[in-house]
């Protein structure tokens, strides 16, 4: 009877271990997990990763949510760094001030792929500012695709964006 009970215990523990192993997944197999070890050389080189839109299908807005830049890191910086890829070592592409509205289009780990209009000072001579404010993320697209619209895009840490609502 003891052997039978210990066999069941071993079988249960093996099954439980397999279940835990199955829970170890990634949203993006190309993105390293936070507990993966990288060499300093690998961590220093991060390519650009364009923001994609249209993950919710052709009946919904290209970017489902709208957010606002709210807070910054504890170092006291007064602007939020926008990066070329969802990694702290990726190139800096822009800075956003608190209160800046952004379309929240994609999530990879703790990073949000955003689309946002350029500041009014970036308008070409004679170009209407209102045209710049419509980034085209509130309308459906046929399928998931890289954002190539009139606005800027990049990646920010999710803790610095406050969800304001949906774009549908």
């Amino acid at each position: 009877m003891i052997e039978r009970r210990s066999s069941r215990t071993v079988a249960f523990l093996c099954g439980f271990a397999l279940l835990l192993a199955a829970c170890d997944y990634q949203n993006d197999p190309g993105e390293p997990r936070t507990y993966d070890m990288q060499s300093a050389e690998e961590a220093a080189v991060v390519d650009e990763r364009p923001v994609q839109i249209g993950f919710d299908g052709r009946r919904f807005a290209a970017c489902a949510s709208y957010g606002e830049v709210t807070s910054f890191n504890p170092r006291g910086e007064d602007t939020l760094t926008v990066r070329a890829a969802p990694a702290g070592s990726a190139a800096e592409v822009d800075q956003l001030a608190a209160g800046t509205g952004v379309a929240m289009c994609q999530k990879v780990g703790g990073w949000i792929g955003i689309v946002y209009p350029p500041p009014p000072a970036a308008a070409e001579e004679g170009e209407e500012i209102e045209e710049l404010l419509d980034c085209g993320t509130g309308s459906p697209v046929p399928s998931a695709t890289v954002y190539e619209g009139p606005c800027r895009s990049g990646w920010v840490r999710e803790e610095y964006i406050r969800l304001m609502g949906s774009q549908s």
Side-chain angles (χ1 to χ4, degrees):
M1 177 123 166
I2 294 176
E3 284 181 46
R4 190 176 196 176
R5 195 174 283 179
S6 66
S7 297
R8 285 184 180 171
T9 303
V10 169
F12 173 77
L13 291 175
C14 288
F16 187 69
L18 286 172
L19 179 64
L20 287 177
C23 293
D24 182 24
Y25 69 93
Q26 293 171 262
N27 289 337
D28 180 3
E31 181 71 17
R33 294 172 290 216
T34 54
Y35 55 86
D36 282 345
M37 298 302 292
Q38 291 181 319
S39 69
E41 194 174 314
E42 289 173 326
V45 179
V46 177
D47 293 333
E48 180 178 345
R49 180 172 177 170
V51 173
Q52 292 189 324
I53 61 173
F55 286 102
D56 293 328
R58 69 179 96 213
R59 294 184 0 193
F60 298 96
C63 295
S65 302
Y66 182 79
E68 187 177 273
V69 176
T70 59
S71 61
F72 304 102
N73 65 37
R75 290 178 268 164
E77 295 173 355
D78 60 353
T79 57
L80 177 60
T81 300
V82 180
R83 300 210 175 267
S89 58
E92 180 180 318
V93 296
D94 209 348
Q95 295 278 320
L96 298 177
T100 302
V102 298
M104 301 165 66
C105 305
Q106 184 179 7
K107 186 173 186 314
V108 174
W111 294 84
I112 301 288
I114 61 169
V115 171
Y116 56 98
E124 302 278 330
E125 190 171 323
E127 189 174 19
E128 292 290 322
I129 303 269
E130 288 78 27
E131 290 177 21
L132 290 174
L133 297 178
D134 181 12
C135 295
T137 58
S139 301
V141 293
S143 62
T145 186
V146 170
Y147 179 74
E148 295 178 347
C151 295
R152 297 177 180 179
S153 64
W155 297 87
V156 295
R157 292 291 305 169
E158 68 180 329
E159 59 265 24
Y160 304 123
I161 303 293
R162 178 177 43 203
L163 177 65
M164 302 301 286
S166 68
Q167 293 201 87
S168 51

